[in-house]
Structure formats: C-alpha cells, structure tokens
Amino acid sequence: MTRVRAQASVLHLDLDAFFAAVEQRDKPSLRGKPVIVGGVGGRGVVSTASYEARAYGVRSAMSTREARARCPQAAFLSGRFDAYRAASTAVMALLRSCSPLVEPLSLDEAFVDLERADLPDLEVPTVTAFAEDLRLRVQEVTDGLTASVGVASSKFLAKIASELRKPDGLTVISPGTEIALLHPMRVSVIPGVGPATVERLRRIGVHTVAELAAIGQEELVSIVGKAQGASLHQLARAEDDRAVVPDRETKSVSVESTYEHDLTDRRQMESIVVKQAGEVARRMRGSGLSGRTVTLKVRLYDFTTLSRSSTLPAPTEETATIARLARSLLADLDTSGGVRLLGVGVSGLADWVQEDLFADDSDDSEVPEEAPEPASEPDQAGARPSDVHWAPGMDVIHATDGRGWVWGSGKGVVTVRFETAETPPGPVRSFRVDDPSLARWRPPAPEPPEDQ
DNA sequence: TCTGGGGTCCTAGGACCC
DNA sequence: TCTGGGGTCCTAGGACCC
C-alpha cells in the first residue's frame, strides 16, 4: 500500500490575503495600507486582513468590532465577490492549463497533480523551477496578485509547505525529509485539528506531531473518534495517499443571514425564510441541482444553534416546496427569546434531469400566502442584514466624475473615492444616498468557464 | 450589546428491514 | 421474564475549513 509518493509531485497554491489583495490591486490608495474585508456591521467578522492589518494583530474570524479597536485606521470593506471570483477563475484556468488534475478547495486555494503535468521529470530542481514560474504566471493573469506555493509528496505535506514561506513564497519538501520537518511542529498544523482537538490532545500531554505519532491508534480513537483517530495516526507519520480529485460534486446549497438586531416577530421570520428558500431554489436551478432534504437553521439570541430538517420522497428545486417545508420547520421551534440568524439549505442533491433544454429556469410558482409579507421593504427596523445598500468597497460610477468606490455611508450620505486600478488615487466626494447621478457599477460579465 | 457565510465530514441514536 | 446482528436511512449537533 502506497503511503506517499516517491517524488514531490503534489502542488498546493494559496493566494496571499486574497480578498484584501484584490482590493489593494483595484484601489491604488489602499496599497501598502491596512485593509480588512468582512462584515462591516455590528455583528460582522473579519474575512481577510491584509498583511499591513495583520501587523496590528487583526486575524480572520475576529469580530470586526475587535479589529476596529486594534486597527482603527484600516479600510473596512464588505467584499466584492464578483471581482474575487473573476481573479479565482483566471488562476484556476492557469492551473488547469498545467495539469488536468486540479482540485480547488476554495476561491483562493487549489491542489495540482504534477504527475499529470507536462514536466520532463519530477526531481526537486525541476518542480522548483516549475513552481517559481507558475507563481510569476499567477501574477500575470491576476494583474499582480501573489501566491504562496508548496510542493511535496502528498496533499497533506504540500499544504503544510505552502504555509511555510508566506506571503509570496515557495517551499519544496524533498522526498525523505518529511518526518524531520513535520515532527517538531505543533499538532495544530494538521488540517482538521482545530481548537477542540488541540485541547483534547493537550489533556493527554500531546503538543507536537512527534508526540502524536507516539500515541497508539486505539488510544487516539478513544480520544477523538474513529475517523479522526485513524486519520491522525497516519498523518502524524506523514502517511497520506489521497488523490487529487477534480470536479468534486456539490453536496448542499444554503443561504443564511445574521441580523443586526435579534428578530422577535414570527411573521417577519417567516417572510425571511420564504425569501431565503427562493434564493436557494434559484441557485439550485442555476446549477442544475435538486435535492430531497430541506434544513432550517436558527441561531438564538444566546448563540445556541438549532437545525431542523425534513426529507421529501423526491428531489425538488421549487421555491414553493422548499419554502413550505422551511416554514413548517420554523413553526415547530420556540423563538421567543429572539433569533440572531436564520438560514435555509437543501442537501441530498441529485443532478437535475433537464427535460427540455429550452425550458426557462424561472420558477413562477406561488408560495401559499398564509403569512403575507410585512408591508414594505427591506429596511424594516431590526431586519436589515449586515450589508447595506451602499456597502463599503462597492464599485460605483458617477455621471460626471466617473468610476470610484464607496468609502463609507451613513446619515443619508455616501462617500466615494474616485479611482480605479489604472487611475491614481483620486478625489473623495460625498453624495446624498439617493443622488440619481450615482449608481452601482458592475464589471462586464466574465466569460463563462468552458466546463461547469 | 463578542462570535459571518458557505461549505464538508463525522457521530450517535432511533427507525426500519432482512 | 433476556436482549441477535447487520445494513441503511434519517435527524440533530458539532468540529472544522476558507
């Protein structure tokens, strides 16, 4: 049984501070400055911090409130996923031009199997030169984003390697040196070992990978469970023969939202859940999926999180069906203390057999109107999602001043900085939020990728 | 008014079936 | 007077990842 490959032929690529780097690329005034992308509302968290912001201790998953306290001078932006997706698509296309076996892990990360790349051999000097060239080509296709790359004899070690010289670095682990590198490290370097597992291991005196490797598999299983015990037993020995798998299938589709103020009105909760069901259904139809299990997620005022699910006899992608089920699941829950998050998801997915290629994918079915939507509109007090209309960072265009982006908004005023990736930092001007000469600007739709 | 949003995988118990 | 033993499906919750 193969434990690892004899050569360093798995590559892991990770774009550095990805969301923040895209913002700095497109907004020249932010280059060299702390930039924080994430939820900008009172309950937001940091998604990505630029390295300048990390110097102040700002980290992913930290609450935005704390990030503001640590680095008040940072630009706080709510994120432009179309731009991130476009950059990601360009990088993934580059990787797929190198090898047919590319496994994206997220927008900013992927494995590449070099055994299927067109290289003369897989010796360390060859893969090193290839990886350095690849990093340069990433910068070319993304107009300047940097990537960190690791190359090793398995997925596990390639991922660890890419972390070692961030940002903008390359690490190749020579075959045969894996254990010497790995064993002194803390167990938390192992993907899948988070705070709960670190604590369990700490209680039996295990802190490093070497100490982990010294534990018997039975003891490990008794502490962390069957699957994780078996996995840790192998990874601690640098044993990993998982294949690079392209085209992993989607297992679930979901939408959730945390509200600035806890919800208490059942009618309002129902109307939100119905809207979310519609969004899930729309996305499912967009990717040709349908599913049998509908799940409602509710986070209460005290952060306890509940889920309730119900499985249909046959798959659906219809708004009305998903909405009806979600609403009936909500009906069984006690939400009297207040609700901070609501979400709707569908799992148990099957490919959608498209009966008629020319059928339009709209879904006009009506949701039974037992709970009419509260009169008027999204900004009902307490129901406003964390991201408001003029979100910081959003691209805008002004009738006479041209293109810029939203610096901030409040008190009926939007502040815009006029600049683009190509034009130097420009003036900052303020407008009334309802100024008709100001509009959201969207980049031209990217070419849909060839497959999928 | 600590604690996002979109996912994946695992566990454990009960139902149900052979 | 006790009580088998799988396998699969479903549900709820939790850990973890980016």
Side-chain angles (χ1 to χ4, degrees):
Chain A
M1 178 191 189
T2 314
R3 297 303 191 183
V4 286
R5 303 176 180 196
Q7 292 162 310
S9 59
V10 181
L11 181 149
H12 179 257
L13 180 140
D14 195 341
L15 294 159
D16 300 315
F18 179 48
F19 297 170
V22 172
E23 298 305 335
Q24 290 176 320
R25 178 194 69 182
D26 293 347
K27 301 177 169 73
S29 61
L30 300 183
R31 296 176 191 165
K33 303 235 172 69
V35 172
I36 294 168
V37 179
V40 296
R43 287 175 166 177
V45 301
V46 174
S47 182
T48 311
S50 71
Y51 280 86
E52 296 85 354
R54 293 182 198 188
Y56 293 86
V58 178
R59 294 287 178 271
S60 293
M62 175 180 283
S63 73
T64 299
R65 182 175 307 276
E66 183 176 352
R68 275 187 208 282
R70 287 176 183 261
C71 192
Q73 75 275 32
F76 288 83
L77 307 176
S78 67
R80 300 145 57 231
F81 280 81
D82 290 348
Y84 309 152
R85 205 168 287 114
S88 176
T89 300
V91 171
M92 298 301 168
L94 168 64
L95 299 182
R96 283 190 262 261
S97 75
C98 299
S99 167
L101 291 186
V102 173
E103 179 178 338
L105 299 178
S106 64
L107 285 182
D108 67 338
E109 247 187 78
F111 287 113
V112 182
D113 193 334
L114 300 184
E115 278 186 357
R116 297 285 301 277
D118 192 16
L119 294 178
D121 61 66
L122 292 169
E123 301 303 316
V124 169
T126 309
V127 299
T128 302
F130 171 82
E132 278 299 8
D133 180 58
L134 179 64
R135 292 184 343 96
L136 289 176
R137 287 192 282 161
V138 167
Q139 291 201 42
E140 285 168 16
V141 304
T142 59
D143 292 321
L145 302 186
T146 63
S148 294
V149 169
V151 186
S153 51
S154 68
K155 282 180 157 185
F156 169 51
L157 288 156
K159 181 151 169 76
I160 285 186
S162 71
E163 294 288 319
L164 293 179
R165 297 197 181 125
K166 266 173 181 283
D168 199 12
L170 168 66
T171 302
V172 179
I173 301 178
S174 295
T177 68
E178 293 91 346
I179 296 280
L181 178 84
L182 188 61
H183 272 195
M185 296 180 153
R186 311 222 131 238
V187 290
S188 55
V189 301
I190 301 174
V193 174
T197 307
V198 166
E199 174 56 21
R200 287 180 187 188
L201 293 174
R202 188 194 64 76
R203 277 191 243 133
I204 59 164
V206 169
H207 305 89
T208 67
V209 180
E211 289 162 352
L212 183 65
I215 302 291
Q217 181 163 352
E218 320 77 58
E219 187 182 359
L220 220 40
V221 166
S222 75
I223 288 161
V224 300
K226 192 153 86 160
Q228 204 186 11
S231 156
L232 289 186
H233 185 79
Q234 294 203 305
L235 295 181
R237 291 163 174 68
E239 293 169 5
D240 172 29
D241 59 2
R242 291 171 300 163
V244 176
V245 182
D247 311 321
R248 309 231 322 223
E249 280 176 21
T250 302
K251 302 270 170 66
S252 64
V253 176
S254 65
V255 170
E256 66 182 56
S257 203
T258 294
Y259 296 90
E260 203 68 34
H261 305 283
D262 289 351
L263 306 171
T264 52
D265 179 344
R266 296 287 296 209
R267 308 286 292 280
Q268 191 180 17
M269 294 183 215
E270 286 178 18
S271 114
I272 287 167
V273 156
V274 166
K275 281 200 192 101
Q276 290 177 325
E279 172 62 18
V280 168
R282 194 187 62 73
R283 281 169 40 193
M284 291 175 70
R285 291 191 295 270
S287 25
L289 295 169
S290 70
R292 291 180 55 216
T293 304
V294 175
T295 301
L296 176 77
K297 178 171 169 181
V298 176
R299 182 119 73 206
L300 303 176
Y301 64 98
D302 64 354
F303 218 73
T304 54
T305 305
L306 309 174
S307 71
R308 291 292 181 273
S309 62
S310 177
T311 298
L312 294 158
T316 186
E317 65 290 316
E318 281 175 32
T319 295
T321 306
I322 298 167
R324 196 182 332 110
L325 229 46
R327 208 163 65 173
S328 81
L329 292 167
L330 176 64
D332 294 337
L333 288 175
D334 177 8
T335 58
S336 48
V339 163
R340 60 180 289 143
L341 172 148
L342 285 173
V344 173
V346 177
S347 56
L349 300 186
D351 275 334
W352 197 33
V353 181
Q354 218 169 355
E355 303 273 313
D356 175 355
L357 283 175
F358 298 98
D360 85 83
D361 66 357
S362 68
D363 171 9
D364 299 328
S365 46
E366 289 292 319
V367 175
E369 274 296 333
E370 286 155 47
E373 307 218 344
S376 131
E377 271 317 285
D379 274 8
Q380 187 119 22
R384 194 181 304 120
S386 303
D387 295 330
V388 292
H389 184 52
W390 295 113
M394 179 185 282
D395 293 310
V396 295
I397 186 160
H398 187 269
T400 54
D401 293 343
R403 277 179 51 196
W405 55 279
V406 174
W407 175 264
S409 66
K411 301 202 164 98
V413 170
V414 207
T415 306
V416 174
R417 181 184 279 276
F418 288 95
E419 67 177 352
T420 66
E422 293 77 30
T423 58
V428 175
R429 299 212 172 91
S430 293
F431 305 89
R432 290 181 36 159
V433 292
D434 57 357
D435 189 325
S437 53
L438 192 65
R440 178 164 190 187
W441 184 83
R442 290 176 185 276
E447 296 291 310
E450 279 295 303
D451 52 9
Q452 198 194 350

